[in-house]
């Protein structure tokens, strides 16, 4: 079973959605047969590339109000789900196009899930920056990627077209925002759904793709709604 999740790395609901998906897969009876693939859905391409903003500044610029006045739910208060600390309001945001190219590069080196998990933990757990080339080269060391190869790939924007293709693919599959989960290219799930609902959907998709074939039972004895029957002896 293949489960794909499209995310923006600085989207707090995406970090939560990824965490909830991991919890659902861990509880799934066939988790060893599930492949989770992270894909890019950039939402911050309109931000400047030469500076970052605080979350409060960004919300004020967009909505004309501080986060506490927008009616947004207290996502930082969801640490009870196992995300602690989970820093949102005191974090910084910026253009993440290069970060998504880095994630595509890491994925090409076989480190898709490892790289996305590291970014979510670093950004929301430690408020680490992920925006500049130097920021990203530091992550390449932590993922044991070749630093110079990573520098060249990012400097040449080798994965820019792939990142854009990921976003277009999500839109074709019905995504209007992130996170967006697709199971076996049959079920699309928008938003940070709770892990119980995701687990139910994993089971539904699994049962549909692994139907039970009932073979002829011959004259074996069985019980039904009307009682138990014993086959007549010849």
């Amino acid at each position: 079973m293949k489960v794909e999740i499209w995310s923006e790395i600085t989207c707090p609901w995406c970090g939560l959605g990824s965490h909830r998906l991991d919890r659902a897969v861990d509880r799934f009876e066939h988790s060893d047969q599930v492949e989770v693939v992270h894909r890019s859905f950039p939402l911050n391409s309109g931000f400047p590339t030469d500076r970052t903003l605080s979350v409060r500044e960004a919300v004020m610029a967009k909505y004309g109000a501080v986060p506490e006045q927008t009616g947004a739910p207290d996502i930082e208060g969801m640490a009870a789900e196992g995300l602690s600390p989970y820093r949102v309001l005191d974090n910084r945001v910026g253009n993440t196009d290069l970060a998504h190219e880095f994630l595509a590069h890491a994925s090409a080196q076989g480190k898709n899930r490892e790289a996305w998990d590291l970014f979510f933990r670093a950004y929301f757990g430690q408020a680490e920056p992920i925006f500049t080339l130097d920021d990203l080269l530091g992550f390449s060391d932590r993922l044991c990627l070749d630093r110079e190869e990573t520098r060249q790939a990012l400097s040449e924007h080798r994965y820019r077209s792939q990142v854009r293709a990921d976003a277009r693919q999500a839109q074709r599959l019905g995504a209007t925002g992130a996170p967006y989960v697709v199971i076996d290219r049959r079920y699309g799930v928008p938003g940070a759904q709770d892990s119980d609902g995701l687990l139910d959907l994993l089971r539904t998709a699994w049962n549909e793709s692994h139907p039970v074939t009932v073979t002829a039972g011959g004259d074996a004895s069985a019980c039904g709604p009307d009682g138990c029957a014993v086959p007549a002896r010849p």
Side-chain angles (χ1 to χ4, degrees), residues 43-215:
L43 298 172
N44 292 352
S45 297
F47 281 88
T49 58
D50 59 345
R51 61 189 177 91
T52 61
L53 302 171
S54 72
V55 169
R56 296 176 187 277
E57 289 173 328
V59 173
M60 175 64 76
K62 185 172 183 179
Y63 299 106
V66 295
E68 291 86 347
Q69 297 172 338
T70 63
D74 178 20
I75 192 170
E76 288 185 338
M78 296 182 179
E81 295 193 31
L83 291 171
S84 181
Y86 199 68
R87 302 177 180 179
V88 176
L89 297 182
D90 293 323
N91 219 326
R92 300 192 69 80
V93 293
N95 190 299
T96 55
D97 288 352
L98 196 62
H100 283 287
E101 292 178 34
F102 175 90
L103 290 165
H105 170 66
S107 298
Q109 311 306 311
K111 295 180 181 289
N112 174 273
R113 194 169 181 182
E114 185 179 353
W116 278 88
D117 286 348
L118 173 61
F119 267 40
F120 280 134
R121 290 196 308 272
Y123 182 74
F124 290 112
Q126 304 299 325
E128 293 185 41
I130 57 168
F131 306 102
T132 70
L133 178 60
D134 286 342
D135 295 336
L136 298 170
L137 290 177
F139 282 103
S140 73
D141 296 338
R142 291 157 70 173
L143 289 167
C144 298
L145 299 174
D146 184 273
R147 175 179 274 254
E148 289 310 309
E149 182 181 350
T150 301
R151 182 193 302 276
Q152 185 174 3
L154 297 183
S155 297
E156 296 174 353
H157 298 292
R158 195 177 298 168
Y159 294 92
R160 177 174 290 179
S161 60
Q162 180 178 325
V163 169
R164 292 174 176 173
D166 271 0
R168 289 194 299 270
Q169 186 179 58
Q171 291 169 336
R172 287 195 297 269
L173 292 170
T176 58
Y180 190 69
V181 175
V182 174
I183 300 176
D184 273 348
R185 290 294 172 96
R186 298 205 314 275
Y187 290 96
V189 188
Q193 302 290 330
D194 64 82
S195 59
D196 287 342
L198 288 169
L199 177 59
D200 288 343
L201 194 53
L202 288 172
R203 289 169 172 163
T204 297
W206 177 272
N207 291 335
E208 288 183 356
S209 61
H210 296 77
V212 175
T213 301
V214 180
T215 61

